[in-house]
Amino acid sequence: GGGMQVDDEDDANDPVVRTIDVFLSQNLPGTREQASGKSDGVFLFQHPLRPKWQPLNEGWRVDKVSYRPQHQMVELEMLSGLGDEDSGELFRHKLVSASVAPKATYAIGLLRGEQLHLTPLQAVLQFRPRFDHKDEEDAARKRNAASSAAGAKEAEQDVMEDGDEGSDREEQLSTVQVRVHKRESDRAKEIRRSSHAYLREMEDKESWKAVTMHPPDAEQTQAVREMLVNRTEHEIDFSVSRTEYLASLNAVSKSRDDSVPAQTLDLSREKLVRMTLEQQVGALMGAAQVLHFARLLELVPNGMLHAAEVLRLLPSVAVLVQGCWVVKSDITYPVDDRAAAARQQEALRRCRDHILTHFNVTTRLTASSLRREFTREVPPASLDSMLFQLAMRREGAWEFRLAPDTDFVEAHPDVQAEQERVWAGVEAALATNRPAK
């Protein structure tokens, strides 16, 4: 349990009417993710396709529950109908879950008197209908029909061959079709492994495990509910202020600056404060790709207090383009030890450096010249993805994502001079058709 000290005086018009101690409970058995504090086996079930005014148990009952622990999948087999199972008038319906990445950290709460006990959720599962049983029924009908047809044909053949056992039978020759498959490239393999069919295949390789569902008032359910209560009196070290605590709950907001890509929303302040300053700078730059220095200081926790250190760390992960900081190409496309992948990564780095040298001189670029120069080395899809990270398409051309930051250049001429030397080395490397170091 723990309490939070409120620094400001309470508003007379909004007095505190109740104070509740908060306890963190992790008493449930099983493996827990220590880094995240998530408890094993605690899920939030959501049914996005079912209206809230129609409960799940209205007209249906759960007949069977199965679980795939590796993929965190739950299958509910529901029964509904006019009669009972013996009458054969029941309808079977399947609901299968998919894990959904939550936008925040969720917990299940149990209020006991003046105490609130929280148990972090492992995952959020959303259920949707699946009609595998219908496919199986259709396949069974087709197999039965094919078997019946084959039996009839075999019987007819036996009648025709009756009495001809002594005759010579001509040798039956069958045609064998040979297929030659090209060696699968790393990119093709990556695309295949990210496809729905491949993911479904991986899911189907894990067998379902039957589990028992207990109603809310069962003794087993009551026993589990009691485990959600923290019985210890260990005090939580809570030394942060109210403002810092509320700020730690909020993800990095995009509303203040549309130039920051949505990837930075995955970096909550809670995650960032657990990193070193060097890791914070690398993570934020890797997510945003392009940032103004002032904006980066806003995203780094207490960044204004560490502005000099942030500026010292930046050249190790980014380069200066039009006064804006852009992630280095060798970080976006790291070195790969495999020969084929290494050549591809080198071509991607060289193409990206080529783009950045153009943007370092002008904020506008046409993609046609790039395609002509790198069409044999960089696939068009990779080139477009690269440009989308750095620029925005307008009127048939690409414009650098951010406006030039002349204030930074004027305030830090030494950094600008050093970055000009860096770009001279990059341009020299591109001229000799080798990747810049």
Side-chain angles (χ1 to χ4, degrees):
M4 178 171 59
Q5 300 296 325
V6 179
D7 299 330
D8 301 332
E9 295 184 0
D10 295 332
D11 190 341
N13 297 325
D14 191 16
V16 176
V17 297
R18 188 178 181 186
T19 301
I20 300 175
D21 291 330
V22 179
F23 293 82
L24 181 64
S25 175
Q26 289 184 317
N27 298 327
L28 291 176
T31 305
R32 301 183 184 95
E33 299 180 32
Q34 297 295 337
S36 63
K38 298 176 181 178
S39 297
D40 182 61
V42 183
F43 300 101
L44 172 64
F45 285 9
Q46 294 180 339
H47 298 269
L49 302 183
R50 195 172 187 86
K52 61 181 181 180
W53 48 265
Q54 188 178 15
L56 184 64
N57 59 356
E58 186 175 299
W60 295 87
R61 65 178 176 86
V62 178
D63 180 62
K64 181 181 177 182
V65 181
S66 305
Y67 180 46
R68 282 176 174 167
Q70 293 183 6
H71 290 87
Q72 292 188 352
M73 294 178 63
V74 177
E75 181 184 73
L76 304 177
E77 290 195 24
M78 315 291 293
L79 288 179
S80 177
L82 302 175
D84 54 20
E85 295 186 28
D86 296 333
S87 67
E89 296 178 339
L90 289 175
F91 299 97
R92 185 171 296 273
H93 182 55
K94 279 188 180 182
L95 296 174
V96 179
S97 72
S99 182
V100 179
K103 298 299 183 181
T105 301
Y106 288 96
I108 182 173
L110 188 63
L111 187 61
R112 288 291 179 88
E114 301 300 318
Q115 296 179 348
L116 177 62
H117 299 264
L118 300 179
T119 301
L121 293 175
Q122 180 177 345
V124 177
L125 303 182
Q126 289 189 351
F127 285 83
R128 287 176 170 81
R130 180 175 288 185
F131 302 98
D132 292 349
H133 58 293
K134 294 297 183 182
D135 296 337
E136 293 171 1
E137 292 174 2
D138 290 341
R141 281 195 294 268
K142 291 179 180 178
R143 286 195 300 269
N144 293 336
S147 178
S148 300
K153 185 175 182 180
E154 184 178 350
E156 182 181 354
Q157 187 70 21
D158 290 341
V159 173
M160 293 177 61
E161 294 180 355
D162 187 23
D164 294 337
E165 294 181 359
S167 61
D168 295 332
R169 299 183 179 181
E170 296 182 0
E171 183 179 358
Q172 299 291 330
L173 298 179
S174 59
T175 303
V176 178
Q177 185 176 6
V178 179
R179 295 182 179 180
V180 179
H181 294 277
K182 294 183 179 179
R183 182 179 178 182
E184 190 177 30
S185 65
D186 293 334
R187 176 173 174 78
K189 186 182 298 183
E190 181 180 352
I191 294 175
R192 177 177 60 82
R193 288 180 174 178
S194 62
S195 66
H196 174 75
Y198 179 82
L199 296 176
R200 181 68 182 274
E201 180 184 352
M202 293 298 101
E203 291 175 355
D204 291 340
K205 284 185 178 180
E206 182 183 4
S207 59
W208 289 104
K209 295 183 178 180
V211 296
T212 303
M213 188 188 74
H214 300 287
D217 55 351
E219 292 184 4
Q220 297 89 338
T221 306
Q222 296 291 344
V224 172
R225 187 177 291 114
E226 288 299 318
M227 298 180 70
L228 301 179
V229 178
N230 187 356
R231 303 296 180 183
T232 65
E233 296 294 334
H234 176 66
E235 191 76 13
I236 298 175
D237 183 15
F238 203 95
S239 57
V240 299
S241 67
R242 178 176 61 177
T243 302
E244 291 173 332
Y245 173 69
L246 293 176
S248 69
L249 300 179
N250 295 326
V252 176
S253 176
K254 183 187 174 186
S255 60
R256 297 177 58 190
D257 190 346
D258 290 338
S259 63
V260 179
Q263 290 92 324
T264 55
L265 295 176
D266 296 332
L267 294 171
S268 66
R269 291 185 65 87
E270 181 183 3
K271 292 181 181 179
L272 290 172
V273 295
R274 295 178 182 177
M275 302 179 184
T276 65
L277 184 60
E278 183 177 4
Q279 291 171 336
Q280 292 171 0
V281 172
L284 287 167
M285 288 303 308
Q289 291 288 313
V290 185
L291 278 176
H292 285 137
F293 182 68
R295 180 58 173 145
L296 177 61
L297 294 182
E298 292 179 358
L299 298 176
V300 173
N302 299 319
M304 296 302 297
L305 301 178
H306 308 288
E309 183 65 12
V310 171
L311 185 57
R312 186 188 68 81
L313 294 170
L314 264 174
S316 63
V317 296
V319 290
L320 198 64
V321 177
Q322 299 278 352
C324 308
W325 288 98
V326 183
V327 174
K328 286 185 173 181
S329 297
D330 57 0
I331 293 179
T332 304
Y333 303 106
V335 177
D336 197 308
D337 294 333
R338 296 167 297 179
R343 289 193 296 271
Q344 179 68 17
Q345 293 291 88
E346 179 182 331
L348 292 171
R349 287 194 297 271
R350 191 163 61 251
C351 180
R352 190 174 184 273
D353 282 339
H354 187 79
I355 293 172
L356 292 179
T357 57
H358 276 274
F359 281 137
N360 198 35
V361 178
T362 177
T363 58
R364 192 173 176 86
L365 173 68
T366 59
S368 57
S369 59
L370 291 172
R371 290 195 178 93
R372 285 195 300 270
E373 186 167 351
F374 293 97
T375 184
R376 294 184 179 179
E377 298 180 281
V378 178
S382 298
L383 180 59
D384 289 341
S385 175
M386 191 182 300
L387 286 168
F388 271 116
Q389 291 179 346
L390 303 172
M392 294 177 291
R393 181 177 287 170
R394 289 178 181 170
E395 299 178 358
W398 292 90
E399 291 187 2
F400 191 57
R401 179 168 293 279
L402 298 182
D405 192 350
T406 55
D407 292 339
F408 178 85
V409 174
E410 293 175 359
H412 303 280
D414 53 334
V415 176
Q416 174 67 20
E418 175 61 28
Q419 288 295 306
E420 288 177 356
R421 288 190 287 271
V422 170
W423 280 117
V426 171
E427 292 174 358
L430 292 174
T432 55
N433 198 28
R434 59 182 175 84
K437 299 295 182 182

